[in-house]
Amino acid sequence: NAGVTQTPKFQVLKTGQSMTLQCAQDMNHNSMYWYRQDPGMGLRLIYYSASEGTTDKGEVPNGYNVSRLNKREFSLRLESAAPSQTSVYFCASSEAWQGNEQYFGPGTRLTVT
Amino acid sequence: EDKVVQSPLSLVVHEGDTVTLNCSYEVTNFRSLLWYKQEKKAPTFLFMLTSSGIEKKSGRLSSILDKKELSSILNITATQTGDSAIYLCAVEGIQGAQKLVFGQGTRLTINP
Protein backbone atom coordinates (compact mmCIF):
# COMPACT_ATOMS: atom_id res chain seq x y z
CA ASN A 1 0.00 0.00 0.00
CA ALA A 2 1.28 3.44 -0.91
CA GLY A 3 -0.96 5.11 1.69
CA VAL A 4 -1.58 8.76 0.81
CA THR A 5 0.20 10.15 -2.24
CA GLN A 6 0.45 13.75 -3.39
CA THR A 7 1.62 15.41 -6.58
CA PRO A 8 3.58 17.48 -7.25
CA LYS A 9 6.23 17.49 -4.49
CA PHE A 10 7.36 21.02 -5.31
CA GLN A 11 5.84 23.87 -7.32
CA VAL A 12 6.71 27.49 -8.01
CA LEU A 13 3.94 29.74 -9.32
CA LYS A 14 3.74 33.36 -10.29
CA THR A 15 1.05 35.51 -8.70
CA GLY A 16 -2.24 35.01 -10.54
CA GLN A 17 -1.44 31.59 -11.95
CA SER A 18 -3.64 28.62 -11.19
CA MET A 19 -2.84 25.04 -10.33
CA THR A 20 -4.32 21.87 -8.88
CA LEU A 21 -2.74 19.74 -6.18
CA GLN A 22 -3.60 16.08 -6.47
CA CYS A 23 -4.12 13.61 -3.63
CA ALA A 24 -4.99 9.93 -3.67
CA GLN A 25 -5.30 7.28 -0.97
CA ASP A 26 -5.43 3.52 -1.33
CA MET A 27 -6.68 2.64 2.16
CA ASN A 28 -10.40 2.75 1.26
CA HIS A 29 -10.84 5.66 3.66
CA ASN A 30 -14.07 7.62 3.66
CA SER A 31 -12.79 11.01 4.81
CA MET A 32 -10.12 13.19 3.25
CA TYR A 33 -8.59 16.55 4.21
CA TRP A 34 -6.40 19.34 2.95
CA TYR A 35 -4.15 21.25 5.37
CA ARG A 36 -1.56 23.96 5.03
CA GLN A 37 1.43 24.26 7.33
CA ASP A 38 3.18 27.56 7.89
CA PRO A 39 6.13 28.16 10.23
CA GLY A 40 5.04 28.51 13.85
CA MET A 41 1.38 27.90 13.07
CA GLY A 42 0.95 24.14 13.07
CA LEU A 43 -1.47 22.62 10.57
CA ARG A 44 -4.59 24.48 9.52
CA LEU A 45 -7.52 22.81 7.81
CA ILE A 46 -8.44 24.24 4.41
CA TYR A 47 -11.23 21.91 3.26
CA TYR A 48 -12.39 18.43 4.09
CA SER A 49 -14.59 15.73 2.65
CA ALA A 50 -16.33 13.65 5.31
CA SER A 51 -17.46 11.14 2.70
CA GLU A 52 -17.53 10.71 -1.05
CA GLY A 53 -19.77 13.35 -2.61
CA THR A 54 -19.47 15.90 0.20
CA THR A 55 -17.03 18.73 0.85
CA ASP A 56 -16.94 21.41 3.54
CA LYS A 57 -14.88 24.42 4.45
CA GLY A 58 -12.29 24.26 7.16
CA GLU A 59 -10.53 27.03 9.02
CA VAL A 60 -8.83 28.78 6.05
CA PRO A 61 -10.79 28.10 2.82
CA ASN A 62 -10.46 31.48 1.09
CA GLY A 63 -8.67 31.29 -2.26
CA TYR A 64 -9.10 27.52 -2.61
CA ASN A 65 -11.56 25.06 -4.10
CA VAL A 66 -11.72 21.30 -3.80
CA SER A 67 -13.13 18.34 -5.67
CA ARG A 68 -13.77 14.88 -4.27
CA LEU A 69 -13.41 13.12 -7.58
CA ASN A 70 -14.17 9.66 -6.19
CA LYS A 71 -13.52 7.79 -2.97
CA ARG A 72 -9.76 7.68 -3.61
CA GLU A 73 -9.04 11.17 -4.89
CA PHE A 74 -9.35 14.66 -3.44
CA SER A 75 -7.88 17.63 -5.28
CA LEU A 76 -7.16 21.18 -4.16
CA ARG A 77 -7.27 24.04 -6.65
CA LEU A 78 -5.77 27.50 -6.41
CA GLU A 79 -7.58 29.62 -9.00
CA SER A 80 -5.40 32.73 -8.73
CA ALA A 81 -2.33 32.15 -6.61
CA ALA A 82 -1.15 34.80 -4.15
CA PRO A 83 2.14 35.07 -2.22
CA SER A 84 0.15 34.45 1.00
CA GLN A 85 -0.52 30.94 -0.28
CA THR A 86 3.16 30.05 -0.13
CA SER A 87 3.12 27.09 2.23
CA VAL A 88 3.48 23.34 2.57
CA TYR A 89 0.24 21.55 1.74
CA PHE A 90 -0.66 18.20 3.24
CA CYS A 91 -3.43 15.86 2.25
CA ALA A 92 -4.74 13.37 4.81
CA SER A 93 -7.33 10.64 5.05
CA SER A 94 -9.13 8.74 7.78
CA GLU A 95 -11.31 5.68 7.90
CA ALA A 96 -14.38 7.39 9.26
CA TRP A 97 -15.51 10.89 9.96
CA GLN A 98 -15.22 10.54 13.71
CA GLY A 99 -12.76 9.09 16.13
CA ASN A 100 -10.03 7.91 13.81
CA GLU A 101 -6.48 8.99 13.32
CA GLN A 102 -5.60 10.73 10.08
CA TYR A 103 -2.86 9.50 7.77
CA PHE A 104 -0.87 12.16 5.98
CA GLY A 105 0.71 12.37 2.56
CA PRO A 106 4.31 13.59 2.03
CA GLY A 107 3.29 17.18 1.30
CA THR A 108 3.64 19.70 -1.53
CA ARG A 109 5.92 22.67 -1.06
CA LEU A 110 4.38 25.59 -2.96
CA THR A 111 6.06 28.94 -3.52
CA VAL A 112 4.17 31.84 -5.06
CA THR A 113 6.33 34.72 -6.28
CA GLU B 1 -13.33 28.94 18.85
CA ASP B 2 -11.41 25.73 19.45
CA LYS B 3 -7.80 26.23 20.46
CA VAL B 4 -4.74 24.07 21.13
CA VAL B 5 -1.55 25.44 22.71
CA GLN B 6 1.69 23.51 23.01
CA SER B 7 4.68 24.24 25.18
CA PRO B 8 7.52 24.66 24.98
CA LEU B 9 7.75 25.68 21.34
CA SER B 10 11.34 24.52 21.19
CA LEU B 11 13.46 22.24 23.36
CA VAL B 12 17.08 21.12 23.12
CA VAL B 13 18.35 18.29 25.31
CA HIS B 14 21.15 15.74 25.39
CA GLU B 15 20.79 12.14 24.36
CA GLY B 16 19.58 10.06 27.29
CA ASP B 17 17.57 12.85 28.92
CA THR B 18 13.86 12.56 29.64
CA VAL B 19 11.55 15.19 28.15
CA THR B 20 7.96 16.21 28.79
CA LEU B 21 5.96 18.05 26.15
CA ASN B 22 2.74 19.83 27.05
CA CYS B 23 -0.53 20.38 25.24
CA SER B 24 -3.51 22.34 26.55
CA TYR B 25 -6.81 22.76 24.75
CA GLU B 26 -10.15 24.47 24.64
CA VAL B 27 -12.65 22.61 22.49
CA THR B 28 -16.38 22.26 22.28
CA ASN B 29 -17.49 18.75 23.23
CA PHE B 30 -14.13 17.06 23.40
CA ARG B 31 -13.86 13.73 21.61
CA SER B 32 -10.15 12.87 21.41
CA LEU B 33 -6.59 14.19 21.58
CA LEU B 34 -3.93 12.96 19.21
CA TRP B 35 -0.15 13.19 19.15
CA TYR B 36 1.83 13.16 15.92
CA LYS B 37 5.57 13.14 15.19
CA GLN B 38 6.78 15.11 12.19
CA GLU B 39 10.29 14.59 10.95
CA LYS B 40 11.12 15.88 7.51
CA LYS B 41 7.83 15.26 5.79
CA ALA B 42 4.42 13.96 6.78
CA PRO B 43 3.21 13.80 10.37
CA THR B 44 3.01 10.23 11.62
CA PHE B 45 0.51 9.12 14.22
CA LEU B 46 1.71 8.33 17.75
CA PHE B 47 -1.25 8.16 20.15
CA MET B 48 -4.95 8.82 20.46
CA LEU B 49 -6.36 9.59 23.91
CA THR B 50 -10.05 9.64 24.70
CA SER B 51 -12.27 9.67 27.77
CA SER B 52 -12.08 5.89 27.80
CA GLY B 53 -8.35 5.71 27.17
CA ILE B 54 -6.51 8.43 29.04
CA GLU B 55 -3.08 6.80 29.13
CA LYS B 56 -1.06 5.28 26.32
CA LYS B 57 2.46 3.87 26.16
CA SER B 58 4.67 2.64 23.37
CA GLY B 59 8.26 1.84 24.15
CA ARG B 60 9.97 4.95 25.47
CA LEU B 61 7.00 7.19 24.66
CA SER B 62 3.97 7.65 26.85
CA SER B 63 1.11 10.09 27.03
CA ILE B 64 -1.53 11.02 29.58
CA LEU B 65 -4.76 12.96 29.17
CA ASP B 66 -6.01 15.13 32.04
CA LYS B 67 -9.62 15.99 31.18
CA LYS B 68 -10.02 18.03 34.33
CA GLU B 69 -7.08 20.28 33.46
CA LEU B 70 -7.86 20.13 29.70
CA SER B 71 -4.33 19.09 28.93
CA SER B 72 -2.06 16.27 27.91
CA ILE B 73 1.62 15.47 28.26
CA LEU B 74 3.90 13.44 26.05
CA ASN B 75 6.88 11.89 27.81
CA ILE B 76 9.94 10.52 26.08
CA THR B 77 12.47 8.70 28.25
CA ALA B 78 16.09 7.87 27.37
CA THR B 79 15.93 10.14 24.34
CA GLN B 80 17.83 9.30 21.17
CA THR B 81 18.89 11.49 18.25
CA GLY B 82 16.18 9.83 16.20
CA ASP B 83 13.59 11.42 18.48
CA SER B 84 14.49 14.82 17.05
CA ALA B 85 11.33 16.07 15.35
CA ILE B 86 8.38 18.40 15.66
CA TYR B 87 5.71 16.93 17.93
CA LEU B 88 2.18 18.00 17.11
CA CYS B 89 -0.84 17.82 19.38
CA ALA B 90 -4.33 17.87 17.85
CA VAL B 91 -7.78 17.82 19.37
CA GLU B 92 -11.03 16.60 17.88
CA GLY B 93 -14.36 17.99 19.02
CA ILE B 94 -17.82 16.83 18.12
CA GLN B 95 -18.67 19.28 15.38
CA GLY B 96 -20.64 17.15 12.99
CA ALA B 97 -17.54 15.93 11.20
CA GLN B 98 -14.07 14.98 12.18
CA LYS B 99 -11.98 18.12 12.18
CA LEU B 100 -8.69 18.21 14.00
CA VAL B 101 -7.42 21.44 15.50
CA PHE B 102 -3.64 21.41 15.73
CA GLY B 103 -1.29 23.18 18.07
CA GLN B 104 1.80 25.00 16.86
CA GLY B 105 4.05 22.06 17.57
CA THR B 106 7.12 21.58 19.78
CA ARG B 107 10.44 21.32 17.98
CA LEU B 108 12.56 18.81 19.91
CA THR B 109 16.28 18.56 19.22
CA ILE B 110 18.33 15.78 20.77
CA ASN B 111 22.08 16.41 20.78
CA PRO B 112 24.49 13.48 20.98
Side-chain angles (χ1 to χ4, degrees):
Chain A
N1 281 354
V4 180
T5 56
Q6 292 182 235
T7 56
K9 289 186 169 54
F10 302 94
Q11 185 71 48
V12 178
L13 292 178
K14 293 189 189 317
T15 297
Q17 287 184 319
S18 62
M19 78 161 296
T20 299
L21 281 64
Q22 306 287 353
C23 174
Q25 51 90 10
D26 62 3
M27 296 175 282
N28 201 35
H29 283 171
N30 289 301
S31 301
M32 297 185 74
Y33 314 83
W34 276 105
Y35 292 91
R36 61 178 288 173
Q37 186 175 35
D38 301 298
M41 299 194 71
L43 287 154
R44 292 183 292 169
L45 183 65
I46 304 171
Y47 270 93
Y48 67 98
S49 172
S51 61
E52 187 180 355
T54 69
T55 61
D56 280 291
K57 295 178 180 179
E59 182 185 353
V60 288
N62 290 345
Y64 305 95
N65 283 303
V66 291
S67 295
R68 184 75 183 266
L69 304 169
N70 47 54
K71 191 171 186 180
R72 288 188 62 247
E73 298 172 286
F74 189 39
S75 63
L76 178 72
R77 182 159 179 84
L78 286 71
E79 291 291 352
S80 179
S84 61
Q85 293 178 304
T86 293
S87 189
V88 180
Y89 290 85
F90 288 100
C91 177
S93 70
S94 63
E95 184 176 332
W97 60 280
Q98 285 182 332
N100 296 100
E101 65 266 28
Q102 294 181 12
Y103 295 83
F104 286 82
T108 295
R109 185 174 292 275
L110 175 67
T111 302
V112 183
T113 61
Chain B
E1 182 180 325
D2 297 343
K3 189 176 177 182
V4 177
V5 177
Q6 293 185 242
S7 63
L9 293 181
S10 180
L11 184 59
V12 181
V13 300
H14 290 292
E15 201 167 19
D17 288 350
T18 293
V19 297
T20 298
L21 310 183
N22 300 286
C23 175
S24 62
Y25 61 88
E26 297 172 22
V27 66
T28 305
N29 297 323
F30 173 89
R31 176 180 286 276
S32 63
L33 184 146
L34 297 89
W35 285 97
Y36 285 84
K37 178 182 182 182
Q38 185 176 23
E39 295 176 88
K40 292 187 178 176
K41 291 188 176 178
T44 53
F45 172 76
L46 293 174
F47 298 119
M48 176 186 281
L49 303 164
T50 66
S51 299
S52 58
I54 62 170
E55 196 165 345
K56 293 285 175 72
K57 183 175 170 62
S58 176
R60 296 178 294 103
L61 276 67
S62 63
S63 184
I64 298 172
L65 175 68
D66 187 336
K67 283 203 71 182
K68 186 177 177 184
E69 296 296 326
L70 305 183
S71 65
S72 174
I73 60 170
L74 176 67
N75 277 324
I76 309 175
T77 59
T79 52
Q80 302 170 357
T81 55
D83 295 326
S84 294
I86 296 173
Y87 290 83
L88 297 167
C89 173
V91 173
E92 179 192 10
I94 301 173
Q95 301 178 65
Q98 185 195 28
K99 292 191 289 185
L100 291 182
V101 178
F102 282 83
Q104 325 93 300
T106 293
R107 182 180 293 277
L108 177 63
T109 303
I110 311 295
N111 288 328

